[in-house]
Amino acid sequence: MFPRPLTPLAAPNGAEPLGRALRRAPLGRARAGLGGPPLLLPSMLMFAVIVASSGLLLMIERGILAEMKPLPLHPPGREGAAWRGKAPKPGGLSLSAGDADLQVRQDVRNRTLRAVCGQAGMPRDPWDLPLGQRRTLLRHILVSDRYRFLYCYVPKVACSNWKRVLKVLAGVLDSVDVRLKMDHRSDLVFLADLRPEEIRYRLQHYFKFLFVRDPLERLLSAYRNKFGEIREYQQRYGAEIVRRYRAGAGPSPAGDDVTFPEFLRYLVDEDPERMNEHWMPVYHLCQPCAVHYDFVGSYERLEADANQVLEWVRAPPHVQFPARQAWYRPASPESLHYHLCSAPRALLHDVLPKYILDFSLFAYPLPNVTKEACQQ
C-alpha cells in the first residue's frame, strides 16, 4: 500500500520545528569531483519530500496512469535466457494491468529521481563521483553477464537471498533453497572487478535494479541483527558506541548491550559516506543519480517485485525468489514505532537529515512520533 501523507515530527520544547531544521540541515558538501553547488538545494529537498509523501499526488498519478498504455514486456528479437539484444530501457517495462499500486509507486519514484538528479551539480555517471564514492558504488553492484543485468545490493534488504539467486543463475548453486551460510564474496562478479570500458558497457546496455526499504526500519533491522547476534559487530562497533555514549562505561565494554538510542547517537556523529554498509544510506551505496536504474523494488512487496525482475531478465522458470522462512521475524512497523517512540525526539530530529534522500527519493513517509501517535 502507499505511504500515508507526511506527518512531521513534533519538535521538543524549545527546539525549532523539524521541517525548518530539515530545510536548513546540510545534506552533503559540494565535492571537488563535482565542481558544482551543494548536492541538494533546500527547496528541491522539500519538493522531493512532498512528492514522496503526498497522498493527493498519488491520487493524481492514478488518473494519469489510467491513460497510459502498457509497453511490451521484452524488446523484440529477444530469444532464450542468455539473449544478446539490448537490455530493456527505463519506461520499457510492462506491469500487469491490475497492479496499479506498483505502477504509481514506480512512476512517483521515477519522477522524483528525475527532478532531484536533474539539479545542477548532481552526478550524471559514476565517473562524476569522487573516488571514494565511486569505489563504494562499484563494490555494491553485482553483475550477471549471462542474463545481462546489474543489481546494486543494499544490506538488510534481502541482499543475501539475491546473492543466492545470482549464484543459482551462474550455475554455482543448484537451488535458491540451499541453506548454506552465505559467502558474500565468492562466485560473484562485482563491477569493481572489471575494467573501466567493461563497466561503461554494462552500465549502458544491461538491465539495472535495486531494492529499497523504509530507512528507519532498515536501521532497526541492522541494529537488532548486528548488535544482538553478531559478535564481530559487538566488539568492533558496539564496544566503541558504549564507550562514547554511556556514562560510567568501563574501558573494555562487551558491546553486546547497545541501546537503540545509543546507536542513533552514533549515527548522528558519523559521516554517511563513511558508514558501515549495513547502515549507510541507500543513496550513497547505489548512487541513483549516477546510475540510471530501470527498476526500484520494495522490501514491502519483496517476493512479487523480485519474481517480476526475474521474469524481465528471462531467468529460467524454476528459479524463483526464496520465500521468507517461517522462523524469520523481520523488523516490523510496530516494533519500529515502539523503538522510535522510546527514543528522544531531539535525537530523531538529528538523525533524519542523514537519510532524508532515501525517504524522499524512494517514497517513504517520515515517522509520526507525536505524543498522540505514540500513545496509540
Side-chain angles (χ1 to χ4, degrees), residues 79-101:
E79 301 293 340
W83 66 293
R84 297 183 180 278
K86 289 186 178 181
K89 295 299 181 184
L93 304 176
S94 176
L95 299 164
S96 63
D99 205 350
D101 283 359

Side-chain angles (χ1 to χ4, degrees), residues 29-31 33-40 113-131 133-134 137 273 283-284 286-293 357 361:
R29 299 176 297 276
R31 305 298 178 192
L34 300 182
L39 290 181
L40 192 63
L113 281 164
R114 286 197 298 269
V116 175
C117 296
Q119 295 298 293
M122 298 297 280
R124 297 294 188 267
D125 67 49
W127 277 265
D128 286 344
L129 299 169
L131 179 60
Q133 294 181 27
R134 183 165 70 247
L137 170 66
E273 294 178 16
Y283 180 85
H284 294 290
C286 294
Q287 295 288 346
C289 291
V291 176
H292 307 295
Y293 293 97
L357 284 173
L361 291 176

Side-chain angles (χ1 to χ4, degrees), residues 215-234:
L216 291 178
E217 192 175 296
R218 176 173 168 248
L219 287 184
L220 178 59
S221 178
Y223 162 75
R224 287 171 39 172
N225 173 238
K226 300 309 175 185
F227 299 112
E229 304 173 13
I230 311 299
R231 186 63 181 159
E232 176 188 352
Y233 277 76
Q234 294 169 357

Side-chain angles (χ1 to χ4, degrees), residues 28-347:
R29 299 176 297 276
R31 305 298 178 192
L34 300 182
L39 290 181
L40 192 63
L41 298 176
S43 59
M44 194 67 247
L45 168 60
M46 296 313 297
F47 167 78
V49 173
I50 293 169
V51 167
S53 305
S54 170
L56 175 61
L57 176 63
L58 292 176
M59 290 189 290
I60 293 172
E61 295 295 339
R62 286 180 185 272
I64 294 173
L65 287 170
E67 304 299 322
M68 295 174 61
K69 295 182 179 180
L71 296 169
L73 179 63
H74 299 294
R78 180 174 178 177
E79 301 293 340
W83 66 293
R84 297 183 180 278
K86 289 186 178 181
K89 295 299 181 184
L93 304 176
S94 176
L95 299 164
S96 63
D99 205 350
D101 283 359
L102 177 57
Q103 292 192 38
V104 172
R105 184 183 293 276
Q106 286 298 311
D107 194 63
V108 168
R109 284 176 176 162
N110 289 339
R111 290 168 185 243
T112 308
L113 281 164
R114 286 197 298 269
V116 175
C117 296
Q119 295 298 293
M122 298 297 280
R124 297 294 188 267
D125 67 49
W127 277 265
D128 286 344
L129 299 169
L131 179 60
Q133 294 181 27
R134 183 165 70 247
R135 183 183 296 117
T136 296
L137 170 66
L138 298 182
R139 286 175 176 173
H140 282 83
I141 295 183
L142 289 159
V143 181
S144 173
D145 282 327
R146 183 178 182 187
Y147 292 90
R148 296 176 67 91
F149 69 77
L150 303 178
Y151 159 58
C152 185
Y153 79 87
V154 177
K156 309 312 299 177
V157 191
C159 72
S160 294
N161 276 344
W162 267 115
K163 290 175 180 178
R164 191 172 285 112
V165 167
L166 264 75
K167 291 188 180 191
V168 171
L169 292 176
V172 176
L173 290 180
D174 294 329
S175 169
V176 295
D177 296 319
V178 173
R179 293 303 161 201
L180 300 175
K181 181 176 174 60
M182 172 57 60
D183 186 323
H184 290 266
R185 299 297 307 178
S186 68
D187 302 313
L188 295 168
V189 178
F190 298 80
L191 269 188
D193 300 329
L194 306 179
R195 297 190 300 271
E197 61 272 19
E198 296 173 325
I199 294 171
R200 288 187 175 94
Y201 177 85
R202 285 157 179 79
L203 286 171
Q204 181 178 356
H205 295 283
Y206 283 18
F207 178 76
K208 300 173 287 295
F209 69 94
L210 76 154
F211 275 71
V212 298
R213 184 178 188 178
D214 179 283
L216 291 178
E217 192 175 296
R218 176 173 168 248
L219 287 184
L220 178 59
S221 178
Y223 162 75
R224 287 171 39 172
N225 173 238
K226 300 309 175 185
F227 299 112
E229 304 173 13
I230 311 299
R231 186 63 181 159
E232 176 188 352
Y233 277 76
Q234 294 169 357
Q235 294 174 336
R236 182 176 178 183
Y237 295 98
E240 177 62 24
I241 290 173
V242 171
R243 277 194 296 267
R244 278 197 213 175
Y245 303 107
R246 187 177 302 173
S252 302
D256 59 355
D257 61 346
V258 174
T259 68
F260 190 61
E262 287 171 341
F263 177 52
L264 295 180
R265 286 191 176 93
Y266 166 73
L267 295 177
V268 168
D269 292 337
E270 287 293 289
D271 182 343
E273 294 178 16
R274 293 174 174 80
M275 288 179 177
N276 179 278
E277 64 174 11
H278 289 85
W279 44 82
M280 181 181 284
V282 175
Y283 180 85
H284 294 290
L285 287 172
C286 294
Q287 295 288 346
C289 291
V291 176
H292 307 295
Y293 293 97
D294 300 306
F295 182 73
V296 179
S298 298
Y299 185 83
E300 294 75 20
R301 45 170 292 139
L302 176 61
E303 289 186 39
D305 281 3
N307 286 317
Q308 178 71 78
V309 168
L310 291 174
E311 180 182 348
W312 278 327
V313 302
R314 284 291 181 85
H318 70 275
V319 179
Q320 296 290 307
F321 195 77
R324 180 173 293 164
Q325 297 299 297
W327 52 263
Y328 181 62
R329 293 292 181 267
S332 66
E334 293 75 21
S335 61
L336 176 63
H337 184 71
Y338 169 80
H339 279 83
L340 293 181
C341 286
S342 302
R345 289 182 189 160
L347 187 56

